[in-house]
Amino acid sequence: MTATAVLTARALLLDMDGTLVNSDASVERVWRRWAERHGLDGDEVMTVVHGRQGYASMALLLPDRPMEQNHADNARMLAEETADTEGVVAIPGAPEFLAALRGVPHALVTSADVPLSTARMAAAGLELPGVRVTAESVGASKPDPEGFLKGAAELGIAPADCVVFEDSGAGIAAGRAAGMTVVGIGSRAAAHGPDVVVEDLTKVRVETVGDGTVRLHIG
């Protein structure tokens, strides 16, 4: 669906990479190096890694490797990604979108950990939401809905009253599994069946209503 739409919500749950922050250059550099180290095709690796925690991507790409090795490798990868913020910029419209959410219940729900999410949001010049669900907060990576359900619970809002903003297949699947409406951001999102998809956050207008409802004009 690409036509203009109006959605209603009481809270918004926001992915970071690809949704608020364009970190594709950093992700490509780090994960293509990893692919080379393990003799994997870089293009194939890049179709898997967006939206998931690193250990979950590794489990799909190296299915015979013990999970403890994936977790150890993921810790090293997170440190690499945190140190590499060259080319990390805000998604168009992200600063204005976040400014419009002041006073609106919202949370960051990201597969990044605290250091990585802090570094990337800072590099993009974006303010971190007060409520954040990061890699340390959950036991399961997207596409499991745990992160989004935890975000809704921390905000005190029913899942059905939340709208998710996501760019990746794993994230869109997680939002759907949580029983939430999903807005897809960018070209990557379109193939994964979000309820609405737009090019970037310049296409989203936030309207607050007196009863605590938020109207999202999308498209």
Side-chain angles (χ1 to χ4, degrees):
M1 179 180 175
T2 56
T4 301
V6 178
L7 304 177
T8 59
R10 301 187 75 82
L12 308 186
L13 301 176
L14 315 173
D15 175 51
M16 182 182 71
D17 293 301
T19 301
L20 297 174
V21 170
N22 182 344
S23 57
D24 281 359
S26 173
V27 173
E28 288 261 350
R29 285 191 293 269
V30 171
W31 277 98
R32 285 186 182 276
R33 285 197 300 267
W34 182 88
E36 188 174 355
R37 288 197 296 269
H38 292 279
L40 298 174
D41 180 77
D43 291 340
E44 179 186 349
V45 167
M46 295 315 301
T47 67
V48 171
V49 300
H50 292 291
R52 293 181 172 85
Q53 291 192 44
Y55 74 83
S57 296
M58 293 170 190
L60 291 173
L61 293 161
L62 298 172
D64 298 326
R65 189 165 79 157
M67 188 57 79
E68 58 265 26
Q69 288 186 32
N70 294 336
H71 281 286
D73 209 0
N74 184 46
R76 291 188 291 270
M77 292 284 284
L78 284 167
E80 270 191 73
E81 289 185 286
T82 300
D84 182 358
T85 57
E86 183 180 351
V88 173
V89 295
I91 292 289
E96 297 81 2
F97 175 67
L98 288 172
L101 296 185
R102 290 181 185 132
V104 174
H106 66 285
L108 188 74
V109 181
T110 176
S111 293
D113 63 2
V114 168
L116 180 56
S117 57
T118 302
R120 283 189 176 160
M121 290 288 280
L126 298 176
E127 186 177 345
L128 279 163
V131 176
R132 300 183 286 276
V133 179
T134 60
E136 298 94 337
S137 310
V138 297
S141 169
K142 299 171 185 176
D144 191 281
E146 181 187 356
F148 286 125
L149 292 172
K150 187 160 191 172
E154 291 198 19
L155 294 171
I157 305 294
D161 291 326
C162 296
V163 170
V164 165
F165 285 74
E166 263 287 359
D167 74 301
S168 70
I172 290 166
R176 285 198 167 284
M180 300 171 181
T181 300
V182 181
V183 176
I185 304 295
S187 58
R188 216 168 16 236
H192 302 289
D195 295 284
V196 186
V197 61
V198 289
E199 180 182 352
D200 56 42
L201 291 168
T202 65
K203 308 295 185 183
V204 180
R205 182 168 65 86
V206 179
E207 177 192 4
T208 55
V209 182
D211 64 356
T213 300
V214 179
R215 287 196 191 100
L216 301 169
H217 301 265
I218 298 173

